[in-house]
Amino acid sequence: DRYDLAFADPPYGSRMLDRVIESWQASHFARVLAVEHAAGHELPRGGETRAFEETSVTIYRVPRTVG
């Protein structure tokens, strides 16, 4: 089963977030994945990022062509 929305906010500085995003990119377990992270944390491509001082939120969406 797939979720409509998944939100991840792992500890800043951990690489756990990268693993969550890679897992999402491989399986699309949710239509939308929103992740909170340190503004300087480089994430995989494909998301839309909004910065709020030292914090950023990046939102990944399943492409419309993917079931």
Side-chain angles (χ1 to χ4, degrees):
D1 290 328
R2 214 165 69 172
Y3 297 97
D4 290 326
L5 172 66
F7 183 79
D9 182 18
Y12 284 13
S14 102
R15 301 318 286 181
M16 188 182 311
L17 181 56
D18 299 324
R19 291 192 300 270
V20 169
I21 295 168
E22 289 166 5
S23 175
W24 179 85
Q25 288 176 325
S27 68
H28 293 124
F29 55 79
R31 287 185 241 228
V32 176
L33 174 65
V35 297
E36 184 177 335
H37 55 92
H41 190 133
E42 296 266 340
L43 297 180
R45 293 179 161 199
E48 181 180 326
T49 302
R50 298 278 192 255
F52 306 92
E53 297 183 17
E54 297 175 8
T55 298
S56 289
V57 174
T58 299
I59 298 174
Y60 293 88
R61 298 176 192 278
V62 173
R64 293 186 187 266
T65 58
V66 176

